[in-house]
Amino acid sequence: MKPSRFLELLEYDEAALDRDQREAKRAGPLLDTVTKDRVSFIASSPQLYSWLVESRRSRALLINGNDKGHLVSPLSYLCAEMAQLYQEADFSLIYFCGLNSGYRDHRADACGMMISLIGQITEAQIRPDMSFLDDKRLLQKATNGKINAHCRVFRNLVKQLPTGMVVYCFIDMISIYETRERRDDILLVPKHINGNRQGVVNLRGLKTIEDS
């Protein structure tokens, strides 16, 4: 199956990601002095530096922005800026849960998040090998919105990246998806983002929450 056809079946919307990134970046110039200082403190923290630069293995980092009640936070801006920076040096994935949280949106959940990550990683590769979709059961479950299938697809795509590549995965406001209705699926995702069983690709997941 052609990658473009698979993404079409998943209803992947590349334009939505571009819109979300622009929205997050617009928050930057609107930050007051106190908030700018807080963002600068986080950006220069030893924990973030270690996650970005020093770690030699796949790992996760969770940052609490303490700014509950907004769909776009100062950390959304920070994530957008870092994703752009590390896209140029290595490879980055990003998703904004807050900007995809409407209850009328049937993709405002873990499946929608994974579809976005799958779309990003698929389009970043010149000729991704989609032969794993010869498994008709996997293909059917993935196109029917099954989170386990989405995670399997994501894992198969990560395995195809060059050996030693560092992949930065920024998930902004993941706590929004930890409601009763969404919690079960979102809890299945971190092990696929945070860890890389094959040890070939260094996959680093940064998650932000807003819980003051």
Side-chain angles (χ1 to χ4, degrees), residues 21 25 43 48 52-53 77-92 94 168 170:
Q21 287 183 300
K25 287 184 178 181
L48 183 58
L52 288 169
V53 179
Y77 167 72
L78 180 61
C79 283
E81 290 293 327
M82 288 194 298
Q84 180 177 344
L85 176 64
Y86 285 91
Q87 182 67 42
E88 298 169 358
D90 292 281
F91 182 65
S92 67
I94 190 165
Y168 298 95
F170 301 91

Side-chain angles (χ1 to χ4, degrees), residues 5-42:
R5 176 54 181 162
F6 179 58
L7 296 184
E8 182 181 337
L9 291 173
L10 292 182
E11 299 180 22
Y12 170 61
D13 185 359
E14 180 183 8
L17 176 64
D18 292 335
R19 289 194 300 269
D20 290 349
Q21 287 183 300
R22 289 196 299 269
E23 182 70 19
K25 287 184 178 181
R26 276 199 289 267
L30 302 177
L31 300 179
D32 59 40
T33 302
V34 174
T35 305
K36 286 181 179 178
D37 288 345
R38 181 155 54 90
V39 171
S40 296
F41 176 80
I42 294 172

